[in-house]
Amino acid sequence: MLQYSLRRLVIGIGMLVALSMLIFLLLRLTPGDPIDAYIDPNLPMSPSDLADLRRSLGLDQPLPAQYLGWLQQALTGNLGYSIKRIDQPVLGLVLSRIGPTVLLMGTALAFAIVAGITCGVIGAVRRNSLADLSLSVVALAGISSPAFLSALIGLYIFSVRLHWMPSGGMLTPGEEFSLGDLLHHLILPAALLSVAQAALIMRYMRASLLEVLNQDYVRTARAKGVREFWVITKHALRNALLPIVTLIGSTIGLAIGGAIFIESVFNWPGMGLLLVDAVQTRDYPVIMGATLVIGACVIVVNLLTDITYAVVDPRIKVG
């Protein structure tokens, strides 16, 4: 297990370096000169001042040298300073936004797991019934609906029309912090973020449980007179959950992509909103730092998922 974990860790580090190279290259290939983001268009600059600024930022060096210089600083924890917030380091900005994003994604993942597994079990146990067909239609709609569309529809229905939920933010401005106020702002964006994940888990759970219910040991348990409830929960469900472990880990990336849209629509102060603001203002250091942290989180989650799957399923060989 240790060798397997170390091997996966080395692969993850390689993927993270490749991701940083790709993002760095794509940012340099975007239209315009990166130095334009550092210049106030209302203040004239002479060519010599512009050359000095370019030299001080290292933008006069070849692209590989620029990347290696950035990577060397990043390995020490220095991700640079924000262009638009010149007094704030990128690492501090990113760390200040991780908490709200983890809260949003963790709540959404909890919703998705509970709803997806429950609906998947119902669909498998009552196969081809009205409940199964209805849940399948809902799951198909959830998978097909992009996150921004679900966010806009949910915002319009529950905030604009029904006035049940706040239309944005993490807390009510001007009021003291309270857990109830936080939950009131959290429920709607978390529920909307969980839609696609819950639909995927439901479909995989249904298919996995149907496969397990056709196994010989399940038929044997039924032949021995074991109650159907215990056949499902004790014998079938435990084995049917194994593929879901891998699926849950793989949906983290889907949740991060959805969180960017959800946070933008609901003005949730997390990593997604930070990244969107950085892209709009061409804040290159923040884009690089936020992308690097998000990529590292996805890689770590996938690593933990692989290790967890190998632990819970003794049939998996990790040598």
Side-chain angles (χ1 to χ4, degrees), residues 83-301:
I83 298 176
K84 303 305 177 181
R85 308 176 182 90
I86 58 176
D87 59 333
Q88 297 188 24
V90 173
L91 184 60
L93 281 173
V94 171
L95 293 179
S96 67
R97 299 296 188 97
I98 288 181
T101 295
V102 170
L103 176 62
L104 177 63
M105 291 181 55
T107 306
L109 184 60
F111 286 166
I113 292 174
V114 173
I117 291 178
T118 302
C119 294
V121 171
I122 294 174
V125 173
R126 301 183 178 180
R127 182 181 182 183
N128 296 329
S129 65
L130 179 60
D132 180 30
L133 295 177
S134 300
L135 290 174
S136 298
V137 171
V138 172
L140 180 61
I143 296 174
S144 305
S145 300
F148 71 89
L149 179 61
S150 300
L152 292 175
I153 293 176
L155 181 66
Y156 176 75
I157 294 176
F158 296 103
S159 296
V160 178
R161 301 295 299 179
L162 299 178
H163 303 286
W164 288 355
M165 299 294 175
S167 59
M170 187 174 175
L171 297 169
T172 302
E175 295 187 4
E176 294 184 0
F177 172 82
S178 67
L179 182 59
D181 185 42
L182 176 61
L183 293 177
H184 192 211
H185 286 77
L186 175 63
I187 290 176
L188 182 58
L192 294 174
L193 180 58
S194 68
V195 168
Q197 293 174 284
L200 279 175
I201 293 175
M202 179 260 176
R203 297 300 299 168
Y204 274 83
M205 185 72 241
R206 179 183 180 275
S208 179
L209 186 57
L210 283 175
E211 181 179 357
V212 172
L213 289 176
N214 291 324
Q215 299 296 319
D216 291 337
Y217 67 89
V218 175
R219 298 193 187 97
T220 302
R222 286 171 171 166
K224 290 181 178 179
V226 179
R227 293 179 56 187
E228 187 67 16
F229 175 81
W230 295 114
V231 171
I232 300 297
T233 57
K234 186 177 180 180
H235 296 277
L237 185 59
R238 184 175 181 180
N239 290 325
L241 284 173
L242 291 176
I244 307 303
V245 174
T246 302
L247 177 64
I248 291 174
S250 63
T251 57
I252 298 297
L254 175 65
I256 291 176
I260 294 177
F261 295 105
I262 296 293
E263 291 182 2
S264 300
V265 172
F266 286 91
N267 198 30
W268 187 266
M271 290 284 292
L273 186 60
L274 175 66
L275 187 57
V276 170
D277 291 341
V279 171
Q280 291 177 344
T281 59
R282 302 187 68 177
D283 197 337
Y284 295 106
V286 174
I287 296 174
M288 283 294 301
T291 305
L292 187 69
V293 172
I294 291 174
C297 292
V298 173
I299 291 172
V300 169
V301 168

Side-chain angles (χ1 to χ4, degrees), residues 16-38:
L16 187 60
V17 173
L19 175 64
S20 66
M21 293 176 60
L22 178 62
I23 297 300
F24 191 88
L25 179 61
L26 290 177
L27 288 177
R28 289 298 184 268
L29 292 177
T30 54
D33 193 335
I35 202 172
D36 293 339
Y38 293 87

